[in-house]
Amino acid sequence: MSNAKKVALISGANKGIGLETARQLGKQGITVLLGARDLARGEAAAEQLKKEGIDVRAVKFDVVNAADIKAAAALVEKEFGKLDILINNAGVMFEPIGGNNSSTVSDQVLRDTFETNFFSAVAVTNAFLPLLKKSAAGRIVNVSSILGSLTLHATEGSPIYEAKALAYDSSKAALNSYTVHLAHELKGTGIKVNSAHPGWVKTDLGTDAAPMDVVDGAKTEVELATLGPDGPTGGFFHMGETITW
Ligand code: NAP
């Protein structure tokens, strides 16, 4: 068991922004636990990063599976005795953006979206909090979206005013609320909790229409994961700029 190197766990890191976040944190010398609900896909992604000299290990981590969460927490406890960085990055979107589906979205889509984007982030964080408290500088990053901003959705003419998708947007708004509540509870512990908006990024979720690539898309997560002692907590950020709730 070694306490010297920082250890980060990233959910949904087998592809997209999560994988690039793993790469960028790994390049800073941080040990990366690459969470993937499909271990084979996680191991394939970890192999790529190992070739780039990154200290990485794939972990089977389906965030809606309580047994996976428990097993991952036990593994981190046994191997490292602490966790420095938790990035709740896994996310789903089952609706088209725009068109406003508030009266038509199915109960199933609402529940499935909340299960991954909100409830799992709470369950995962609770499972890892005892290990984050053992870090000298615990950092929790909840990967949200500008689409979770209630203020911008309510403001005619804002960039997201016409981009309404009830399940996704409200799940990210709930995640933002969790950020504010948890940061308040953890005040004085040294642990910082923030929400990240990665930007609109070319991934399977963001589609090819997105203007940003994953290299830039990972930057906000990386920045919030590596905040110094004077950094903010309980905020919502994109590339160092505050996003309105
Ligand atoms: P992505 O390429 O579709 O990747 C999503 C990741 O989440 C995949 O690794 C996926 O695993 C994983 N995932 C989904 N459900 C999971 C579960 N139950 N357990 C574990 N992993 C699960 O999407 P992305 O764009 O990188 O999204 C990453 C985060 O950024 C999400 O939270 C998303 O909401 C947020 N975000 C993205 C954008 C954008 O423009 N791309 C904008 C704002 C916010 P599988 O490979 O097994 O499906």
Side-chain angles (χ1 to χ4, degrees):
M1 195 185 286
S2 160
N3 242 9
K5 273 181 82 175
K6 275 196 195 173
V7 183
L9 171 64
I10 308 162
S11 65
N14 53 287
K15 67 177 185 182
I17 300 166
L19 175 57
E20 180 59 25
T21 300
R23 174 179 285 113
Q24 292 182 19
L25 288 177
K27 292 222 157 128
Q28 293 192 27
I30 294 167
T31 298
V32 174
L33 301 173
L34 185 156
R37 59 179 156 178
D38 179 306
L39 186 58
R41 287 205 294 266
E43 280 174 343
E47 281 313 309
Q48 287 177 42
L49 298 187
K50 277 182 195 160
K51 286 185 194 141
E52 298 171 35
I54 289 167
D55 180 13
V56 57
R57 170 168 175 173
V59 178
K60 172 156 177 0
F61 197 51
D62 184 335
V63 296
V64 301
N65 181 325
D68 277 12
I69 297 173
K70 197 171 166 195
L75 179 133
V76 175
E77 164 86 70
K78 180 164 165 273
E79 301 276 327
F80 305 99
K82 60 149 189 182
L83 184 68
D84 300 288
I85 296 165
L86 172 65
I87 306 190
N88 289 312
N89 169 81
V92 290
M93 178 181 242
F94 299 123
E95 312 135 286
I97 300 186
N100 198 342
N101 61 355
S102 300
S103 68
T104 54
V105 63
S106 72
D107 186 59
Q108 201 58 52
V109 163
L110 270 170
R111 286 176 192 279
D112 289 349
T113 305
F114 265 77
E115 199 60 44
T116 302
N117 292 2
F118 175 67
F119 290 114
S120 80
V122 179
V124 166
T125 305
N126 282 338
F128 283 93
L129 257 187
L131 290 162
L132 286 155
K133 286 180 177 166
K134 291 186 183 161
S135 165
R139 302 288 178 260
I140 299 168
V141 183
N142 291 325
V143 182
S144 179
S145 167
I146 196 169
L147 294 173
S149 168
L150 295 175
T151 305
L152 294 176
H153 271 305
T155 304
E156 214 169 332
S158 87
I160 63 159
Y161 188 68
E162 298 299 340
K164 291 190 170 35
L166 183 69
Y168 185 81
D169 299 354
S170 55
S171 71
K172 295 297 191 181
L175 185 64
N176 283 345
S177 179
Y178 179 51
T179 294
V180 172
H181 283 68
L182 186 64
H184 178 268
E185 182 180 329
L186 294 177
K187 246 185 171 172
T189 65
I191 298 176
K192 295 183 188 295
V193 191
N194 289 290
S195 278
H197 167 52
W200 186 18
V201 184
K202 275 187 186 52
T203 62
D204 288 346
L205 189 151
T207 78
D208 280 342
M212 284 173 70
D213 63 21
V214 283
V215 174
D216 283 337
K219 284 183 179 164
T220 303
E221 294 188 28
V222 169
E223 189 186 350
L224 295 175
T226 54
L227 286 172
D230 296 333
T233 187
F236 184 18
F237 299 99
H238 170 65
M239 297 275 204
E241 301 288 325
T242 295
I243 305 245
T244 184
W245 296 112

